[in-house]
């Protein structure tokens, strides 16, 4: 596939409400979009790096720079590029999986569109719709949290994930269980906010029959997670720690995780995400698809990934209006707790040019010719 050029487009989208996690509060999502143009098609990729390096070491300005200054020149050495070439050609550059994933996604989208194949077909998805969970941020009060959960349950979300941190954990979970009962599929996400010495607090969560506790300890602490797993009844699920199929295999074999959150951006792209899916399936470890507040572009890819057979738990694949009043693509909507897997070529959605322009902060065109 011959690439004519790549556009790096920065957009900013206001969130419907502030989203607070153990590492910070977001009110506006700053997104880098990558558009790859070939003679026959174009393809879109979304970089999930945050504005600041707090979830991981990547951040959106850094991702923009590394793509412009290193990755595109490496790819432009030959105009003829296949999606399978992207990761090997960028391997000399350490890290930056979110930036690499965005480029690979755009190239994959262009290539699949020109072949008339959808992400779902290419990845091996087996269903037309996937169950949608929702992630609920840390709030100022329990009352506020209960109102938010109530709203999401009435919209039909089939699983609730509560963000937790020390001081906002057992009481929040207890209040949600007490108000909404034991039938609600409930899980928690700590985003690395605890240490092994918090074992007693974390063990109190065992009383609430949670689906899982996500990433309680720092990402490099696989041994700590393995220890925790022997002490807790609640299954441990790793997110930040799982950066490749190899790290997934290591974590599983060490007993550090019994469920895996797969985010294509975190692991360098959809090709590696599918390898992680396969490794987990081979170990009978269920997976679910995480989210990073993506616009419709990234969301479309995530939903296609979530249609693979070992995605047996609902993902953070919520409807567009969970985060955005107006998405840049036609919105993903909730029907009976599910979202529809796009069936069109490539990611199956296109941004609306007027909405895209309205949210655009800057664009850069890098020609390959
Ligand atoms: O639904 O897209 C979504 C967001 C789900 O909670 C969510 N994401 O740690 O998984 C996470 C968290 C996150 C959000 C992480 C933004 C980093 C940035």
């Amino acid at each position: 596939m011959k690439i004519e050029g790549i556009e790096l487009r920065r957009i900013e989208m206001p969130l419907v409400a502030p989203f607070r996690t153990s590492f910070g509060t977001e009110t506006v999502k700053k997104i880098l979009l990558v558009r790859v143009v070939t003679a026959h098609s174009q393809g879109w990729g979304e970089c999930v790096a945050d504005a600041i390096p707090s979830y991981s070491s990547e951040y959106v300005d850094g991702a923009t720079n590394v793509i412009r200054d290193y990755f595109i020149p490496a790819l432009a050495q030959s105009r003829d590029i296949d999606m399978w070439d992207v990761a090997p050609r960028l391997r000399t550059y350490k890290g930056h999986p979110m930036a690499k994933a965005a480029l690979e996604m755009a190239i994959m989208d262009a290539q699949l569109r020109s072949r008339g194949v959808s992400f779902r077909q290419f990845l091996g998805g087996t269903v037309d719709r996937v169950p949608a969970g929702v992630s609920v941020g840390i709030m100022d009060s329990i009352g506020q949290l209960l109102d938010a959960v109530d709203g999401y349950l009435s919209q039909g979300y089939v699983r609730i994930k509560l963000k937790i941190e020390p001081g906002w954990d057992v009481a929040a979970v207890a209040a949600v269980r007490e108000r909404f009962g034991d039938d609600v599929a409930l899980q928690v996400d700590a985003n690395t906010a605890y240490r092994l010495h918090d074992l007693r607090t974390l063990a109190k969560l065992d009383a609430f029959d949670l689906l899982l506790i996500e990433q309680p300890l720092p990402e490099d602490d696989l041994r700590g997670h393995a220890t925790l797993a022997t002490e807790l009844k609640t299954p441990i699920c790793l997110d930040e720690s799982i950066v490749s199929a190899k790290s997934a295999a290591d974590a599983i074999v060490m007993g550090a995780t019994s469920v895996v959150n797969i985010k294509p951006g975190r692991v360098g792209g959809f090709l590696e995400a599918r390898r992680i899916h396969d490794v987990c399936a081979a170990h009978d470890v269920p997976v679910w698809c995480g989210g990073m507040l993506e616009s419709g572009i990234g969301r479309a890819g995530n939903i296609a990934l979530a249609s693979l057979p070992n995605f047996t738990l609902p993902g953070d694949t919520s409807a567009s209006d969970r985060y955005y009043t107006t998405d840049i693509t036609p919105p993903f909507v909730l029907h009976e707790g599910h979202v529809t897997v796009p069936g069109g070529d490539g990611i199956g959605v296109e941004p609306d040019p007027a909405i895209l322009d309205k949210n655009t902060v800057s664009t850069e065109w890098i020609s390959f010719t």
Side-chain angles (χ1 to χ4, degrees), residues 206-259:
D206 279 346
F208 302 103
D209 192 25
L210 300 176
L211 287 171
L212 55 91
I213 173 168
E214 187 180 350
Q215 197 70 45
L217 307 178
E219 52 266 61
D220 59 357
D221 195 4
L222 284 189
R223 197 156 66 134
H225 282 104
T227 305
L228 209 53
T230 62
E231 301 287 333
L232 300 185
K233 213 172 71 194
T234 309
I236 307 277
C237 167
L238 292 181
D239 170 9
E240 284 91 330
S241 298
I242 306 296
V243 295
S244 62
K246 181 186 180 305
S247 64
D250 289 347
I252 292 167
V253 170
M254 281 178 72
T257 196
S258 50
V259 183

Side-chain angles (χ1 to χ4, degrees), residues 25-61:
T25 305
E26 273 186 278
T27 51
V28 173
K29 182 71 181 161
K30 296 186 176 182
I31 298 176
L32 165 65
L33 295 176
V34 178
R35 183 170 65 97
V36 165
V37 178
T38 75
H40 306 289
S41 61
Q42 63 172 12
W44 291 93
E46 176 165 344
C47 181
V48 298
D50 269 334
I52 53 170
S54 50
Y55 167 85
S56 77
S57 62
E58 287 187 272
Y59 61 107
V60 69
D61 287 343

